[in-house]
Amino acid sequence: MARRPLPDELAAILTRRPEALDRPQVSSLSALAGRLQDPDAVMMTAGALPLPALQVVEVLQAFGGPLVGLDQLAATLGRKPDDPELAATLTVLAQRALVWPDGDELRMAGPLWNAFEHPLHLGPPARRLFEGAPVADLHEIAAALGLPRGRTRATALADVCAALADGERVRSVVASAPVAARDLLAKVAWDGPLVVMGIYDRPGSGPLAWAVRHGLLVSDGWQHAQMPGEVGMALRGPDWRAPFDPLPPTPDLVGVPPEAMEREAAAAATTAVEQASALLGAVAAAPVALLKAGGVGTRELRRLAKSVGCGEPEVRLWLELAYAAGLVGVSEMRVLPSEAYDEWCAAEPAGRLVPLLRAWPHLPAAPLAGDGTAALTRDALGMAAYDLRPALLQAAAELPGGQGAAAGLAEVLGWRLPMLSGDAALLDGLWREAHLVGALAHGALTPLGRALLAGDSPEAAVSALLPPAVAEAVFQNDLTAVVPGTPAAALASLLDSAAVRESGGGAVTWRFSPASVRAALDAATRRTACSPTSGPRRSAARCPRCWSTSSATSAASTAGCAYGRSGVSYARMIPRCWPR
């Protein structure tokens, strides 16, 4: 019987399994043990295990349990029972009540015995496969293996299972098999454990029949035959060892000077504010329709991408972050700006980026995973991304100073969270996300990323990267307007309504044309109820007709949701600001 955990051991378990203390409170150790063995809780805990711990779980499951000897586990992994790296891995499992010692043997939480469909590509133990076999079949197998006839079914079953667990005997039997049977068994041993059988074809001879007759494959009586796990291990040879990787992989590194990191992070932050502001401005001007099944479809995403001047993946990212930050919401099957948008729109660039950054580390979505699903929907990839982003930042934080990961950190994440990081597109998307928000630059963690990892406010780091918004535009003789920096929200809204945005980044350029000005004037006549026609405003209000927003403006523009009554704001702005 397994001993009770010591107080220190129990404290270590509850620190890592806080869900066991959820209400209703447990009143006894037996009730606590039952809660720790809850299938959902066990599998959720296993999902956060590193690769070596999962490899140990897989080997234990392959042996079938309920007890597995420590020396048996160590030999299969090619280690000694007192190996320090194996001991450290077992400690990780014991501290989560997943695997714990019972004398010289190991016990594992019940739900983990079914964690893998075919652990190590091996079948179940022979005893489990022959559990319902008729005694006549057991006697036939025993005779084929050269065993004496058992007096009872239990004796025959024990003799057959013991023979199949003897690796030398199994290899000797297979060596005497026909060539076709040897080839079949060798293939199943490495790629198995299942063999597809014909539904109606049950030949009495041939390689499959020979293997079934000797107990090396066990038919399910229908469409499949399965190789017992002991047979698979034996046919892999005495030198075969299960994989065990106790140390994380080392990524390829590249030098990243501090000034290069700062430039890259500042450029990413500037672009993020520009694109997010343009996106939310487009949503304010024309609410986004949802699909009947939910989410924002490809058609609307493409429309927004064209309006913002960026790619569809970036639109997905900023829309998801805006939704998570409470800047937009869903009402009557449309995505609309929330009340918080007015204050956000009037803030400086740093103030606009901070709420988006706070929402990013635990965003329950994977907008750049590239699966083509609708935006603002939730799926398994999104929940995996929720846990993978902090792991990505932590892995970047452990890189040597002044160096970045040249080809990403997918291998490191695959070691840290193997059950969550099997999708290469998801890992690539998270890597791009981290660079787009400025948490990583040239593969290295930025000060902004360190603040997010520590759970601190990124405001100081963002303020160091982003200058204040520019409230004035330079109007040039070629009918372009240039804002040297991040434009103020009201100025950007005004220019977007009257001209076509041509470039972004450090300086934003708009180009006026007869068509753009005519479109703005035509739209102004249709919005006669929008806002006052003169004088700057400090408060923000939303026009219920057009869903656009008015906010603090500069002397270069008149107040209003976009243009003012009958378009006179353009006539007043251009002569005043055009260079003389």
Side-chain angles (χ1 to χ4, degrees), residues 130-229:
F130 288 118
E131 190 173 11
V135 65
D137 292 351
L138 294 175
H139 286 158
E140 181 181 356
I141 293 172
L145 294 175
L147 302 175
R149 182 184 179 89
R151 293 186 176 181
T152 64
R153 184 184 184 283
T155 303
L157 177 60
D159 290 343
V160 168
C161 291
L164 295 179
D166 184 347
E168 290 298 332
R169 177 190 286 269
V170 170
R171 287 188 287 271
S172 175
V173 171
V174 173
S176 64
V179 175
R182 288 203 305 269
D183 293 342
L184 171 66
L185 292 170
K187 178 176 177 57
V188 176
W190 289 101
D191 302 332
L194 293 178
V195 178
V196 178
M197 302 173 64
I199 299 178
Y200 303 106
D201 184 17
R202 292 290 186 271
S205 61
L208 186 59
W210 188 95
V212 170
R213 195 163 51 246
H214 287 75
L216 304 177
L217 292 176
V218 182
S219 172
D220 64 358
W222 183 237
Q223 298 186 50
H224 297 93
Q226 192 164 191
M227 178 177 285

Side-chain angles (χ1 to χ4, degrees), residues 93-109:
L93 292 166
Q95 289 175 340
R96 290 156 179 79
L98 299 178
V99 176
W100 57 93
D102 186 359
D104 293 333
E105 296 179 304
L106 298 170
R107 287 186 181 272
M108 187 163 68

Side-chain angles (χ1 to χ4, degrees), residues 296-318:
V296 180
T298 302
R299 180 177 180 179
E300 288 283 31
L301 292 174
R302 288 175 178 170
R303 176 180 70 82
L304 291 172
K306 183 177 181 181
S307 175
V308 175
C310 65
E312 186 180 327
E314 287 80 3
V315 168
R316 289 175 176 270
L317 176 61
W318 307 131

Side-chain angles (χ1 to χ4, degrees), residues 29 60 79 101 147 179 185 225 236 281 307 340 358 373 401 405 414 444 472 487 508 517 552:
L29 284 178
L60 293 177
R79 302 283 173 140
L147 302 175
V179 175
L185 292 170
R236 292 180 183 184
S307 175
R358 286 175 176 163
T373 58
E472 296 180 352
V508 189
V517 174

